[in-house]
mmCIF file with all atom_site columns, all heavy atoms in Angstrom:
data_model
loop_
_atom_site.group_PDB
_atom_site.id
_atom_site.type_symbol
_atom_site.label_atom_id
_atom_site.label_alt_id
_atom_site.label_comp_id
_atom_site.label_asym_id
_atom_site.label_entity_id
_atom_site.label_seq_id
_atom_site.pdbx_PDB_ins_code
_atom_site.Cartn_x
_atom_site.Cartn_y
_atom_site.Cartn_z
_atom_site.occupancy
_atom_site.B_iso_or_equiv
_atom_site.pdbx_formal_charge
_atom_site.auth_seq_id
_atom_site.auth_comp_id
_atom_site.auth_asym_id
_atom_site.auth_atom_id
_atom_site.pdbx_PDB_model_num
ATOM 1   N N   . ILE Z 1 318 ? 11.953 -4.853  -10.588 1.00 0.00 ? 318 ILE Z N   1
ATOM 2   C CA  . ILE Z 1 318 ? 10.667 -4.944  -11.268 1.00 0.00 ? 318 ILE Z CA  1
ATOM 3   C C   . ILE Z 1 318 ? 9.636  -4.187  -10.431 1.00 0.00 ? 318 ILE Z C   1
ATOM 4   O O   . ILE Z 1 318 ? 9.440  -4.508  -9.265  1.00 0.00 ? 318 ILE Z O   1
ATOM 5   C CB  . ILE Z 1 318 ? 10.231 -6.431  -11.422 1.00 0.00 ? 318 ILE Z CB  1
ATOM 6   C CG1 . ILE Z 1 318 ? 11.362 -7.290  -12.006 1.00 0.00 ? 318 ILE Z CG1 1
ATOM 7   C CG2 . ILE Z 1 318 ? 8.952  -6.531  -12.255 1.00 0.00 ? 318 ILE Z CG2 1
ATOM 8   C CD1 . ILE Z 1 318 ? 11.747 -6.962  -13.426 1.00 0.00 ? 318 ILE Z CD1 1
ATOM 9   N N   . PHE Z 1 319 ? 8.987  -3.219  -11.041 1.00 0.00 ? 319 PHE Z N   1
ATOM 10  C CA  . PHE Z 1 319 ? 7.998  -2.405  -10.329 1.00 0.00 ? 319 PHE Z CA  1
ATOM 11  C C   . PHE Z 1 319 ? 6.634  -3.112  -10.294 1.00 0.00 ? 319 PHE Z C   1
ATOM 12  O O   . PHE Z 1 319 ? 6.516  -4.272  -10.666 1.00 0.00 ? 319 PHE Z O   1
ATOM 13  C CB  . PHE Z 1 319 ? 7.880  -1.027  -10.989 1.00 0.00 ? 319 PHE Z CB  1
ATOM 14  C CG  . PHE Z 1 319 ? 9.042  -0.128  -10.671 1.00 0.00 ? 319 PHE Z CG  1
ATOM 15  C CD1 . PHE Z 1 319 ? 10.286 -0.355  -11.230 1.00 0.00 ? 319 PHE Z CD1 1
ATOM 16  C CD2 . PHE Z 1 319 ? 8.906  0.940   -9.807  1.00 0.00 ? 319 PHE Z CD2 1
ATOM 17  C CE1 . PHE Z 1 319 ? 11.372 0.462   -10.937 1.00 0.00 ? 319 PHE Z CE1 1
ATOM 18  C CE2 . PHE Z 1 319 ? 9.979  1.767   -9.507  1.00 0.00 ? 319 PHE Z CE2 1
ATOM 19  C CZ  . PHE Z 1 319 ? 11.211 1.529   -10.077 1.00 0.00 ? 319 PHE Z CZ  1
ATOM 20  N N   . ARG Z 1 320 ? 5.608  -2.367  -9.877  1.00 0.00 ? 320 ARG Z N   1
ATOM 21  C CA  . ARG Z 1 320 ? 4.268  -2.924  -9.715  1.00 0.00 ? 320 ARG Z CA  1
ATOM 22  C C   . ARG Z 1 320 ? 3.642  -3.305  -11.050 1.00 0.00 ? 320 ARG Z C   1
ATOM 23  O O   . ARG Z 1 320 ? 3.917  -2.702  -12.074 1.00 0.00 ? 320 ARG Z O   1
ATOM 24  C CB  . ARG Z 1 320 ? 3.354  -1.884  -9.042  1.00 0.00 ? 320 ARG Z CB  1
ATOM 25  C CG  . ARG Z 1 320 ? 3.677  -1.638  -7.596  1.00 0.00 ? 320 ARG Z CG  1
ATOM 26  C CD  . ARG Z 1 320 ? 2.679  -0.710  -6.949  1.00 0.00 ? 320 ARG Z CD  1
ATOM 27  N NE  . ARG Z 1 320 ? 2.735  0.636   -7.487  1.00 0.00 ? 320 ARG Z NE  1
ATOM 28  C CZ  . ARG Z 1 320 ? 1.787  1.162   -8.227  1.00 0.00 ? 320 ARG Z CZ  1
ATOM 29  N NH1 . ARG Z 1 320 ? 0.712  0.466   -8.544  1.00 0.00 ? 320 ARG Z NH1 1
ATOM 30  N NH2 . ARG Z 1 320 ? 1.898  2.387   -8.661  1.00 0.00 ? 320 ARG Z NH2 1
ATOM 31  N N   . ASN Z 1 321 ? 2.770  -4.314  -11.001 1.00 0.00 ? 321 ASN Z N   1
ATOM 32  C CA  . ASN Z 1 321 ? 1.911  -4.613  -12.144 1.00 0.00 ? 321 ASN Z CA  1
ATOM 33  C C   . ASN Z 1 321 ? 2.614  -4.969  -13.438 1.00 0.00 ? 321 ASN Z C   1
ATOM 34  O O   . ASN Z 1 321 ? 2.159  -4.609  -14.513 1.00 0.00 ? 321 ASN Z O   1
ATOM 35  C CB  . ASN Z 1 321 ? 1.050  -3.378  -12.451 1.00 0.00 ? 321 ASN Z CB  1
ATOM 36  C CG  . ASN Z 1 321 ? -0.310 -3.525  -11.844 1.00 0.00 ? 321 ASN Z CG  1
ATOM 37  O OD1 . ASN Z 1 321 ? -0.803 -4.643  -11.735 1.00 0.00 ? 321 ASN Z OD1 1
ATOM 38  N ND2 . ASN Z 1 321 ? -0.906 -2.435  -11.447 1.00 0.00 ? 321 ASN Z ND2 1
ATOM 39  N N   . VAL Z 1 322 ? 3.733  -5.627  -13.328 1.00 0.00 ? 322 VAL Z N   1
ATOM 40  C CA  . VAL Z 1 322 ? 4.493  -5.993  -14.533 1.00 0.00 ? 322 VAL Z CA  1
ATOM 41  C C   . VAL Z 1 322 ? 4.167  -7.443  -14.895 1.00 0.00 ? 322 VAL Z C   1
ATOM 42  O O   . VAL Z 1 322 ? 4.098  -8.308  -14.032 1.00 0.00 ? 322 VAL Z O   1
ATOM 43  C CB  . VAL Z 1 322 ? 6.006  -5.804  -14.293 1.00 0.00 ? 322 VAL Z CB  1
ATOM 44  C CG1 . VAL Z 1 322 ? 6.826  -6.421  -15.423 1.00 0.00 ? 322 VAL Z CG1 1
ATOM 45  C CG2 . VAL Z 1 322 ? 6.330  -4.325  -14.140 1.00 0.00 ? 322 VAL Z CG2 1
ATOM 46  N N   . LEU Z 1 323 ? 3.970  -7.673  -16.186 1.00 0.00 ? 323 LEU Z N   1
ATOM 47  C CA  . LEU Z 1 323 ? 3.690  -9.022  -16.683 1.00 0.00 ? 323 LEU Z CA  1
ATOM 48  C C   . LEU Z 1 323 ? 4.900  -9.522  -17.466 1.00 0.00 ? 323 LEU Z C   1
ATOM 49  O O   . LEU Z 1 323 ? 5.324  -8.881  -18.432 1.00 0.00 ? 323 LEU Z O   1
ATOM 50  C CB  . LEU Z 1 323 ? 2.448  -8.982  -17.575 1.00 0.00 ? 323 LEU Z CB  1
ATOM 51  C CG  . LEU Z 1 323 ? 2.174  -10.232 -18.414 1.00 0.00 ? 323 LEU Z CG  1
ATOM 52  C CD1 . LEU Z 1 323 ? 1.867  -11.434 -17.536 1.00 0.00 ? 323 LEU Z CD1 1
ATOM 53  C CD2 . LEU Z 1 323 ? 1.012  -9.989  -19.364 1.00 0.00 ? 323 LEU Z CD2 1
ATOM 54  N N   . ILE Z 1 324 ? 5.447  -10.626 -17.048 1.00 0.00 ? 324 ILE Z N   1
ATOM 55  C CA  . ILE Z 1 324 ? 6.612  -11.184 -17.732 1.00 0.00 ? 324 ILE Z CA  1
ATOM 56  C C   . ILE Z 1 324 ? 6.253  -12.581 -18.236 1.00 0.00 ? 324 ILE Z C   1
ATOM 57  O O   . ILE Z 1 324 ? 6.080  -13.516 -17.444 1.00 0.00 ? 324 ILE Z O   1
ATOM 58  C CB  . ILE Z 1 324 ? 7.833  -11.202 -16.792 1.00 0.00 ? 324 ILE Z CB  1
ATOM 59  C CG1 . ILE Z 1 324 ? 8.207  -9.744  -16.480 1.00 0.00 ? 324 ILE Z CG1 1
ATOM 60  C CG2 . ILE Z 1 324 ? 9.004  -11.946 -17.431 1.00 0.00 ? 324 ILE Z CG2 1
ATOM 61  C CD1 . ILE Z 1 324 ? 9.319  -9.571  -15.517 1.00 0.00 ? 324 ILE Z CD1 1
ATOM 62  N N   . ASN Z 1 325 ? 6.128  -12.684 -19.544 1.00 0.00 ? 325 ASN Z N   1
ATOM 63  C CA  . ASN Z 1 325 ? 5.627  -13.923 -20.133 1.00 0.00 ? 325 ASN Z CA  1
ATOM 64  C C   . ASN Z 1 325 ? 6.659  -15.049 -20.151 1.00 0.00 ? 325 ASN Z C   1
ATOM 65  O O   . ASN Z 1 325 ? 7.856  -14.837 -20.006 1.00 0.00 ? 325 ASN Z O   1
ATOM 66  C CB  . ASN Z 1 325 ? 5.136  -13.657 -21.554 1.00 0.00 ? 325 ASN Z CB  1
ATOM 67  C CG  . ASN Z 1 325 ? 3.684  -13.233 -21.574 1.00 0.00 ? 325 ASN Z CG  1
ATOM 68  O OD1 . ASN Z 1 325 ? 2.811  -13.976 -21.141 1.00 0.00 ? 325 ASN Z OD1 1
ATOM 69  N ND2 . ASN Z 1 325 ? 3.426  -12.031 -22.049 1.00 0.00 ? 325 ASN Z ND2 1
ATOM 70  N N   . ARG Z 1 326 ? 6.132  -16.223 -20.383 1.00 0.00 ? 326 ARG Z N   1
ATOM 71  C CA  . ARG Z 1 326 ? 6.899  -17.455 -20.387 1.00 0.00 ? 326 ARG Z CA  1
ATOM 72  C C   . ARG Z 1 326 ? 8.089  -17.410 -21.357 1.00 0.00 ? 326 ARG Z C   1
ATOM 73  O O   . ARG Z 1 326 ? 7.991  -16.837 -22.431 1.00 0.00 ? 326 ARG Z O   1
ATOM 74  C CB  . ARG Z 1 326 ? 5.971  -18.600 -20.804 1.00 0.00 ? 326 ARG Z CB  1
ATOM 75  C CG  . ARG Z 1 326 ? 6.328  -19.950 -20.297 1.00 0.00 ? 326 ARG Z CG  1
ATOM 76  C CD  . ARG Z 1 326 ? 5.127  -20.882 -20.353 1.00 0.00 ? 326 ARG Z CD  1
ATOM 77  N NE  . ARG Z 1 326 ? 4.139  -20.583 -19.308 1.00 0.00 ? 326 ARG Z NE  1
ATOM 78  C CZ  . ARG Z 1 326 ? 4.285  -20.958 -18.031 1.00 0.00 ? 326 ARG Z CZ  1
ATOM 79  N NH1 . ARG Z 1 326 ? 5.336  -21.631 -17.644 1.00 0.00 ? 326 ARG Z NH1 1
ATOM 80  N NH2 . ARG Z 1 326 ? 3.362  -20.653 -17.140 1.00 0.00 ? 326 ARG Z NH2 1
ATOM 81  N N   . GLY Z 1 327 ? 9.184  -17.991 -20.920 1.00 0.00 ? 327 GLY Z N   1
ATOM 82  C CA  . GLY Z 1 327 ? 10.329 -18.139 -21.821 1.00 0.00 ? 327 GLY Z CA  1
ATOM 83  C C   . GLY Z 1 327 ? 11.140 -16.870 -22.003 1.00 0.00 ? 327 GLY Z C   1
ATOM 84  O O   . GLY Z 1 327 ? 12.144 -16.872 -22.707 1.00 0.00 ? 327 GLY Z O   1
ATOM 85  N N   . SER Z 1 328 ? 10.711 -15.766 -21.379 1.00 0.00 ? 328 SER Z N   1
ATOM 86  C CA  . SER Z 1 328 ? 11.525 -14.547 -21.501 1.00 0.00 ? 328 SER Z CA  1
ATOM 87  C C   . SER Z 1 328 ? 12.680 -14.600 -20.510 1.00 0.00 ? 328 SER Z C   1
ATOM 88  O O   . SER Z 1 328 ? 12.591 -15.258 -19.473 1.00 0.00 ? 328 SER Z O   1
ATOM 89  C CB  . SER Z 1 328 ? 10.660 -13.316 -21.260 1.00 0.00 ? 328 SER Z CB  1
ATOM 90  O OG  . SER Z 1 328 ? 9.980  -13.447 -20.038 1.00 0.00 ? 328 SER Z OG  1
ATOM 91  N N   . GLN Z 1 329 ? 13.769 -13.928 -20.874 1.00 0.00 ? 329 GLN Z N   1
ATOM 92  C CA  . GLN Z 1 329 ? 14.945 -13.903 -19.998 1.00 0.00 ? 329 GLN Z CA  1
ATOM 93  C C   . GLN Z 1 329 ? 15.320 -12.463 -19.729 1.00 0.00 ? 329 GLN Z C   1
ATOM 94  O O   . GLN Z 1 329 ? 15.666 -11.733 -20.649 1.00 0.00 ? 329 GLN Z O   1
ATOM 95  C CB  . GLN Z 1 329 ? 16.115 -14.627 -20.666 1.00 0.00 ? 329 GLN Z CB  1
ATOM 96  C CG  . GLN Z 1 329 ? 15.892 -16.129 -20.772 1.00 0.00 ? 329 GLN Z CG  1
ATOM 97  C CD  . GLN Z 1 329 ? 16.997 -16.794 -21.552 1.00 0.00 ? 329 GLN Z CD  1
ATOM 98  O OE1 . GLN Z 1 329 ? 18.121 -16.305 -21.605 1.00 0.00 ? 329 GLN Z OE1 1
ATOM 99  N NE2 . GLN Z 1 329 ? 16.682 -17.912 -22.179 1.00 0.00 ? 329 GLN Z NE2 1
ATOM 100 N N   . ILE Z 1 330 ? 15.255 -12.086 -18.470 1.00 0.00 ? 330 ILE Z N   1
ATOM 101 C CA  . ILE Z 1 330 ? 15.509 -10.689 -18.110 1.00 0.00 ? 330 ILE Z CA  1
ATOM 102 C C   . ILE Z 1 330 ? 16.655 -10.636 -17.120 1.00 0.00 ? 330 ILE Z C   1
ATOM 103 O O   . ILE Z 1 330 ? 16.637 -11.301 -16.098 1.00 0.00 ? 330 ILE Z O   1
ATOM 104 C CB  . ILE Z 1 330 ? 14.229 -10.072 -17.530 1.00 0.00 ? 330 ILE Z CB  1
ATOM 105 C CG1 . ILE Z 1 330 ? 13.233 -9.926  -18.676 1.00 0.00 ? 330 ILE Z CG1 1
ATOM 106 C CG2 . ILE Z 1 330 ? 14.500 -8.722  -16.901 1.00 0.00 ? 330 ILE Z CG2 1
ATOM 107 C CD1 . ILE Z 1 330 ? 11.831 -9.918  -18.283 1.00 0.00 ? 330 ILE Z CD1 1
ATOM 108 N N   . LYS Z 1 331 ? 17.649 -9.844  -17.488 1.00 0.00 ? 331 LYS Z N   1
ATOM 109 C CA  . LYS Z 1 331 ? 18.842 -9.776  -16.642 1.00 0.00 ? 331 LYS Z CA  1
ATOM 110 C C   . LYS Z 1 331 ? 19.280 -8.320  -16.562 1.00 0.00 ? 331 LYS Z C   1
ATOM 111 O O   . LYS Z 1 331 ? 19.271 -7.617  -17.575 1.00 0.00 ? 331 LYS Z O   1
ATOM 112 C CB  . LYS Z 1 331 ? 19.945 -10.619 -17.295 1.00 0.00 ? 331 LYS Z CB  1
ATOM 113 C CG  . LYS Z 1 331 ? 21.139 -10.869 -16.409 1.00 0.00 ? 331 LYS Z CG  1
ATOM 114 C CD  . LYS Z 1 331 ? 22.077 -11.873 -17.097 1.00 0.00 ? 331 LYS Z CD  1
ATOM 115 C CE  . LYS Z 1 331 ? 23.325 -12.150 -16.284 1.00 0.00 ? 331 LYS Z CE  1
ATOM 116 N NZ  . LYS Z 1 331 ? 24.064 -10.982 -15.879 1.00 0.00 ? 331 LYS Z NZ  1
ATOM 117 N N   . ASP Z 1 332 ? 19.641 -7.852  -15.391 1.00 0.00 ? 332 ASP Z N   1
ATOM 118 C CA  . ASP Z 1 332 ? 20.104 -6.478  -15.211 1.00 0.00 ? 332 ASP Z CA  1
ATOM 119 C C   . ASP Z 1 332 ? 19.156 -5.485  -15.895 1.00 0.00 ? 332 ASP Z C   1
ATOM 120 O O   . ASP Z 1 332 ? 19.545 -4.773  -16.821 1.00 0.00 ? 332 ASP Z O   1
ATOM 121 C CB  . ASP Z 1 332 ? 21.525 -6.306  -15.752 1.00 0.00 ? 332 ASP Z CB  1
ATOM 122 C CG  . ASP Z 1 332 ? 22.518 -7.180  -15.019 1.00 0.00 ? 332 ASP Z CG  1
ATOM 123 O OD1 . ASP Z 1 332 ? 22.399 -7.283  -13.786 1.00 0.00 ? 332 ASP Z OD1 1
ATOM 124 O OD2 . ASP Z 1 332 ? 23.390 -7.779  -15.667 1.00 0.00 ? 332 ASP Z OD2 1
ATOM 125 N N   . ALA Z 1 333 ? 17.942 -5.446  -15.411 1.00 0.00 ? 333 ALA Z N   1
ATOM 126 C CA  . ALA Z 1 333 ? 16.966 -4.550  -16.025 1.00 0.00 ? 333 ALA Z CA  1
ATOM 127 C C   . ALA Z 1 333 ? 16.191 -3.783  -14.958 1.00 0.00 ? 333 ALA Z C   1
ATOM 128 O O   . ALA Z 1 333 ? 16.091 -4.225  -13.815 1.00 0.00 ? 333 ALA Z O   1
ATOM 129 C CB  . ALA Z 1 333 ? 15.995 -5.345  -16.894 1.00 0.00 ? 333 ALA Z CB  1
ATOM 130 N N   . VAL Z 1 334 ? 15.690 -2.631  -15.362 1.00 0.00 ? 334 VAL Z N   1
ATOM 131 C CA  . VAL Z 1 334 ? 14.757 -1.863  -14.530 1.00 0.00 ? 334 VAL Z CA  1
ATOM 132 C C   . VAL Z 1 334 ? 13.467 -1.802  -15.322 1.00 0.00 ? 334 VAL Z C   1
ATOM 133 O O   . VAL Z 1 334 ? 13.434 -1.249  -16.424 1.00 0.00 ? 334 VAL Z O   1
ATOM 134 C CB  . VAL Z 1 334 ? 15.286 -0.437  -14.268 1.00 0.00 ? 334 VAL Z CB  1
ATOM 135 C CG1 . VAL Z 1 334 ? 14.255 0.368   -13.479 1.00 0.00 ? 334 VAL Z CG1 1
ATOM 136 C CG2 . VAL Z 1 334 ? 16.617 -0.485  -13.527 1.00 0.00 ? 334 VAL Z CG2 1
ATOM 137 N N   . ILE Z 1 335 ? 12.425 -2.424  -14.810 1.00 0.00 ? 335 ILE Z N   1
ATOM 138 C CA  . ILE Z 1 335 ? 11.166 -2.473  -15.554 1.00 0.00 ? 335 ILE Z CA  1
ATOM 139 C C   . ILE Z 1 335 ? 10.073 -1.816  -14.717 1.00 0.00 ? 335 ILE Z C   1
ATOM 140 O O   . ILE Z 1 335 ? 9.749  -2.275  -13.633 1.00 0.00 ? 335 ILE Z O   1
ATOM 141 C CB  . ILE Z 1 335 ? 10.781 -3.917  -15.921 1.00 0.00 ? 335 ILE Z CB  1
ATOM 142 C CG1 . ILE Z 1 335 ? 11.903 -4.533  -16.773 1.00 0.00 ? 335 ILE Z CG1 1
ATOM 143 C CG2 . ILE Z 1 335 ? 9.449  -3.946  -16.674 1.00 0.00 ? 335 ILE Z CG2 1
ATOM 144 C CD1 . ILE Z 1 335 ? 11.622 -5.936  -17.242 1.00 0.00 ? 335 ILE Z CD1 1
ATOM 145 N N   . MET Z 1 336 ? 9.548  -0.729  -15.253 1.00 0.00 ? 336 MET Z N   1
ATOM 146 C CA  . MET Z 1 336 ? 8.612  0.069   -14.458 1.00 0.00 ? 336 MET Z CA  1
ATOM 147 C C   . MET Z 1 336 ? 7.176  -0.414  -14.587 1.00 0.00 ? 336 MET Z C   1
ATOM 148 O O   . MET Z 1 336 ? 6.832  -1.214  -15.449 1.00 0.00 ? 336 MET Z O   1
ATOM 149 C CB  . MET Z 1 336 ? 8.722  1.533   -14.870 1.00 0.00 ? 336 MET Z CB  1
ATOM 150 C CG  . MET Z 1 336 ? 10.095 2.113   -14.552 1.00 0.00 ? 336 MET Z CG  1
ATOM 151 S SD  . MET Z 1 336 ? 10.158 3.834   -15.016 1.00 0.00 ? 336 MET Z SD  1
ATOM 152 C CE  . MET Z 1 336 ? 11.930 4.039   -15.195 1.00 0.00 ? 336 MET Z CE  1
#
Side-chain angles (χ1 to χ4, degrees):
Chain Z
I318 311 294
F319 285 72
R320 290 185 293 111
N321 262 329
V322 169
L323 168 65
I324 295 176
N325 272 300
R326 207 160 286 282
S328 53
Q329 291 174 27
I330 290 155
K331 191 172 178 307
D332 298 319
V334 176
I335 301 182
M336 296 181 203

